[in-house]
Amino acid sequence: MDRPRILCVSFSDIRSDARVLRQLEVLARHGEVTTLSYGDRPDSASDHLSIPADLPSLPQTLFGVVRLALRRFASVAMEAPAVKAARDLLLGREFDIVVANEARALPLAFEVAGSPKVWCDLHEWAPAERTHVLSWRLLVAPFMTWVCAQYLPRVDAATTVNTSIAQMYEQQFGVHCDIVRNAVAYRPDLRPTPPGECIRLVHSGGAVPGRNLEAIIDAVDLLGDGYTLDLYLVQSRQAESYWKQLVARIASSPRTRLHAAVTPEELPATLNPHDLGVYALPPHTPNHRLMLPNKFFDFVQARLGFVFGPSVETDRLIMENGLGVIATGYKASDLADAIRGLTAEQIKGFKSATDAVALRLSSEADVLMEEQILSRLTAAEA
């Protein structure tokens, strides 16, 4: 019997998209996988269709912006330059299952030939992805709300990152979402490293405006001698000028070092020698307020202590499991105050606590959920 033909759509470079990479490993066990994304073919894919990197995945043309402003969403659902290129790449191809990563991929998913089953993996709350940006709030947020209302009730499966966001999808769009967190694979080979005389802070993730990286850099400078900060950052395709500013800011800090990004698989071992994983994202959007990001789970597998800004989902996990401290706010002074009061013995205790929950907070439960979804979808195709 032929294996199901699975199309995985993601308007990202999948090779640097940790969530989709983990998803692909499961997809490959259930069928022949073709990826459709920016960049080159990921290792787990049998075939790959590459979208030119300079094409935006939203209707940002003059025609598109006018139509968004007039709320003529149906006329622009397939008009984003990257979506049009993707549709051309799919000509003559049929699939049994389409995995649409994020809501913006849904209009394309429902045009794929072969009457496929559609699974939408909603990485976050789609209508508020970038509502801290005025143009997004005025033009794109209403469009994304329309996409969700138009397409989500028609999907065969839906997933999202945590219970808080799943409840929002059910309340507003009537779709049940299973939970697939951003957890990473369990690393039994890693153990907590003892804190030294110099406390090593670390942060990993995307170098994107609004992530408050400057506050972390300023915090380590406020702390002074006895503290260092290492940054493992992924440069954004769309934020080159910000990257240059950030590199200059890092160069001016005597205690901060910038490192090349490492692969998601390498990240826990790379972070492991450090002491405290630091993150403080101000709640500019519902996604920020309800975040449960990749880096949280990277820090767990790296056996780090936590210093995070306040956030509903991360607060709960940190406090329930004794993983670290929650700063009173998001400013550099808030982070510095939270870190300054920690003793080496407390940091050692936080790292031991992450070691104790590393298996429970690994990707095992998430992989099981994805396996169940794929088993159901492939059975429906049989």
Side-chain angles (χ1 to χ4, degrees):
M1 181 178 176
D2 292 338
R3 280 159 57 82
R5 301 160 298 178
I6 303 175
L7 175 67
C8 176
V9 182
S10 180
F11 290 106
S12 66
D13 185 338
I14 294 176
R15 295 170 306 157
S16 59
D17 191 327
R19 182 176 178 88
V20 184
L21 284 174
R22 291 192 295 271
Q23 179 191 98
L24 277 178
E25 293 178 4
V26 179
L27 296 178
R29 292 197 286 270
H30 288 262
E32 296 300 318
V33 181
T34 297
T35 44
L36 175 59
S37 72
Y38 299 114
D40 296 327
R41 181 181 68 84
D43 291 340
S44 297
S46 304
D47 194 8
H48 179 65
L49 303 172
S50 181
I51 302 168
D54 61 334
L55 298 183
S57 60
L58 290 169
Q60 294 169 227
T61 62
L62 177 60
F63 169 84
V65 169
V66 170
R67 294 285 171 153
L68 288 176
L70 294 173
R71 302 296 192 259
R72 296 183 180 177
F73 300 135
S75 67
V76 294
M78 295 294 297
E79 289 300 314
V83 174
K84 292 174 74 172
R87 182 169 51 184
D88 290 342
L89 290 168
L90 288 169
L91 288 174
R93 293 172 177 259
E94 294 187 357
F95 293 91
D96 303 303
I97 296 170
V98 176
V99 183
N101 279 283
E102 302 189 271
R104 68 180 64 191
L106 279 171
L108 177 67
F110 279 94
E111 292 222 350
V112 173
S115 301
K117 300 293 182 182
V118 176
W119 164 16
C120 185
D121 186 28
L122 297 150
H123 298 194
E124 56 187 354
W125 177 243
E129 185 180 333
R130 298 187 67 203
T131 45
H132 58 292
V133 177
L134 181 61
S135 59
W136 174 284
R137 189 163 64 248
L138 296 178
L139 296 174
V140 182
F143 172 63
M144 296 308 298
T145 300
W146 177 86
V147 167
C148 290
Q150 183 77 13
Y151 293 99
L152 281 180
R154 299 162 55 190
V155 303
D156 299 284
T159 48
T160 194
V161 295
N162 62 49
T163 302
S164 297
I165 293 177
Q167 289 172 345
M168 293 169 69
Y169 278 113
E170 184 140 26
Q171 290 165 3
Q172 184 156 341
F173 302 112
V175 61
H176 169 75
C177 291
D178 292 309
I179 306 303
V180 175
R181 304 167 303 177
N182 285 316
V184 299
Y186 178 52
R187 292 295 301 268
D189 56 313
L190 297 178
R191 289 289 179 266
T193 56
E197 291 185 7
C198 184
I199 301 302
R200 298 188 61 184
L201 314 176
V202 69
H203 173 92
S204 59
V208 179
R211 292 286 179 89
N212 206 29
L213 298 176
E214 296 82 358
I216 302 174
I217 299 166
D218 291 345
V220 74
D221 288 339
L222 287 173
L223 287 166
D225 294 340
Y227 299 87
T228 61
L229 171 64
D230 291 276
L231 297 171
Y232 295 85
L233 301 179
V234 178
Q235 185 176 357
S236 169
R237 292 186 309 110
Q238 300 171 328
E240 185 174 345
S241 62
Y242 174 73
W243 174 259
K244 292 178 180 177
Q245 296 170 19
L246 185 63
V247 169
R249 175 65 191 87
I250 293 167
S252 71
S253 169
R255 296 173 181 84
T256 303
R257 292 174 293 186
L258 175 62
H259 303 267
V262 300
T263 65
E265 294 78 14
E266 298 173 305
L267 195 54
T270 300
L271 301 177
N272 179 249
H274 300 81
D275 299 309
L276 296 170
V278 186
Y279 191 44
L281 184 65
H284 295 308
T285 74
N287 287 310
H288 296 165
R289 183 172 57 85
L290 302 173
M291 68 169 185
L292 187 53
N294 285 333
K295 61 181 59 58
F296 181 93
F297 298 101
D298 292 328
F299 292 169
V300 168
Q301 294 308 320
R303 288 15 179 221
L304 302 180
F306 283 70
V307 179
F308 268 44
S311 183
V312 175
E313 294 278 339
T314 54
D315 285 3
R316 177 177 57 80
L317 288 171
I318 291 170
M319 298 309 294
E320 282 181 359
N321 297 291
L323 306 182
V325 293
I326 299 165
T328 57
Y330 309 93
K331 301 191 299 293
S333 57
D334 299 324
L335 294 172
D337 289 345
I339 295 165
R340 189 181 291 113
L342 297 177
T343 66
E345 197 61 30
Q346 285 176 303
I347 295 171
K348 183 178 178 181
F350 297 151
K351 299 178 82 173
S352 295
T354 59
D355 191 39
V357 299
L359 177 58
R360 178 162 58 83
L361 294 182
S362 73
S363 62
E364 286 196 357
D366 306 293
V367 169
L368 179 60
M369 176 57 69
E370 291 179 323
E371 295 278 4
Q372 290 172 349
I373 291 169
L374 265 296
S375 295
R376 175 164 55 84
L377 296 182
T378 53
E381 286 295 319

